[in-house]
């Protein structure tokens, strides 16, 4: 009879299964970690793509020119908004009015109208802000319906503290008889061209004119 100690078969099987269970646990942990890394990278790419979207998407202003019986209406509000739902819900609302207070006439009869361009803005969603109405300077060429402008410190402050919507250009579209504003922003999903159409009465309260810092 052998002098070797007797080993229980169940004990032997239990010992042999322990390394297998350890390997399975290790594989599960690796799989969970890999899934977490993939999900994190995908989410980060998605949000960064959304954030940068308005930066690399460039929009050209409409072709300059006055249509038949179509020109910028002075002392009339132009109103429009952008509503986004992805990745979060946010609404940016704008109204603008061109109030001329001077004219320049060239030798060939071309007329430039100079004055104040009021831009009234509001943000609703993740951060409610506004309405704030800011006075800016503009010049309107009546021959080709083009707009030149100077953005004021008030509008810059509103952008930095409220919307992060930077105006890239402002133009009159004679075909649609609208004022178009192109924005770039770090806000995911926002930015691009917002069309503002003539509005006798719009919902923004623009009485908060050029608020102090």
């Amino acid at each position: 009879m052998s002098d070797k100690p007797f080993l229980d078969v169940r004990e032997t099987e239990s010992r042999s299964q322990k390394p297998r269970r350890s390997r399975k646990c290790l594989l599960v942990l690796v799989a969970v970690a890999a899934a977490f890394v993939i999900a994190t990278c995908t989410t980060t790419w998605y949000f960064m793509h959304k954030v940068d979207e308005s930066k690399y998407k460039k929009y050209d202003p409409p072709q300059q020119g006055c249509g038949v019986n179509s020109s910028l209406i002075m002392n009339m509000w132009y109103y429009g908004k952008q509503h986004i739902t992805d990745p979060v819900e946010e609404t940016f609302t704008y109204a603008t009015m061109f109030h001329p207070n001077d004219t320049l006439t060239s030798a060939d009869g071309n007329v430039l109208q100079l004055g104040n361009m009021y831009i009234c803005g509001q943000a609703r969603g993740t951060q409610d802000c506004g309405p704030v109405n800011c006075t800016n300077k503009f010049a309107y060429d009546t021959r080709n319906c083009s707009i030149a402008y100077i953005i004021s410190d008030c509008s810059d402050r509103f952008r930095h503290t409220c919307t992060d919507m930077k105006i890239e250009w402002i133009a009159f579209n004679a075909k649609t008889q609208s004022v178009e504003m192109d924005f770039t922003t770090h806000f995911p999903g926002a930015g691009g061209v917002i069309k503002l159409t003539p509005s006798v009465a719009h919902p923004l309260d623009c009485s908060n004119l050029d608020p102090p810092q």
Side-chain angles (χ1 to χ4, degrees), residues 54-55 90 92-94 119-123 127 129-134 136 149 151-169 182-187 191 211:
S54 71
K55 295 294 183 181
E90 192 82 14
F92 300 99
T93 309
Y94 288 92
I119 300 179
C120 183
Q122 172 184 277
Q127 177 182 348
C129 190
V132 172
N133 189 11
C134 294
N136 309 269
Y149 58 90
I151 296 298
S152 65
D153 291 339
C154 172
S155 290
D156 278 337
R157 285 196 305 272
F158 178 70
R159 168 174 68 94
H160 286 296
T161 60
C162 247
T163 64
D164 191 46
M165 297 277 277
K166 180 184 178 183
I167 296 175
E168 294 295 328
W169 51 257
D182 180 41
F183 295 89
T184 56
T185 179
H186 297 95
F187 197 96

Side-chain angles (χ1 to χ4, degrees), residues 108-150:
D108 61 358
N110 187 37
V111 175
L112 291 177
Q113 292 181 293
L114 312 175
N116 295 328
M117 173 180 63
Y118 301 104
I119 300 179
C120 183
Q122 172 184 277
R124 290 291 182 268
T126 56
Q127 177 182 348
D128 292 348
C129 190
V132 172
N133 189 11
C134 294
T135 305
N136 309 269
K137 297 300 181 182
F138 84 96
Y140 178 67
D141 191 329
T142 59
R143 176 170 293 174
N144 59 18
C145 290
S146 62
I147 301 171
Y149 58 90
I150 299 175

Side-chain angles (χ1 to χ4, degrees), residues 18-72:
K18 285 183 179 180
R20 295 179 184 176
R21 290 176 182 173
S22 298
R23 286 195 295 270
K24 287 182 179 179
C25 290
L26 181 60
L27 290 175
V28 170
L29 290 175
V30 170
V32 170
F36 177 78
V37 171
I38 292 173
T40 302
C41 291
T42 302
T43 303
T44 302
W45 177 89
Y46 174 78
F47 276 95
M48 291 305 297
H49 177 78
K50 283 290 185 182
V51 166
D52 293 338
E53 187 172 13
S54 71
K55 295 294 183 181
Y56 64 76
K57 276 190 174 181
K58 300 299 181 183
Y59 298 90
D60 294 327
Q63 184 176 358
Q64 295 302 296
C66 300
V68 179
N69 298 323
S70 177
S71 62
L72 185 66

Side-chain angles (χ1 to χ4, degrees), residues 176-195:
T176 59
Q177 299 187 35
S178 63
V179 173
E180 296 184 1
M181 293 184 175
D182 180 41
F183 295 89
T184 56
T185 179
H186 297 95
F187 197 96
V193 177
I194 298 180
K195 294 181 183 294

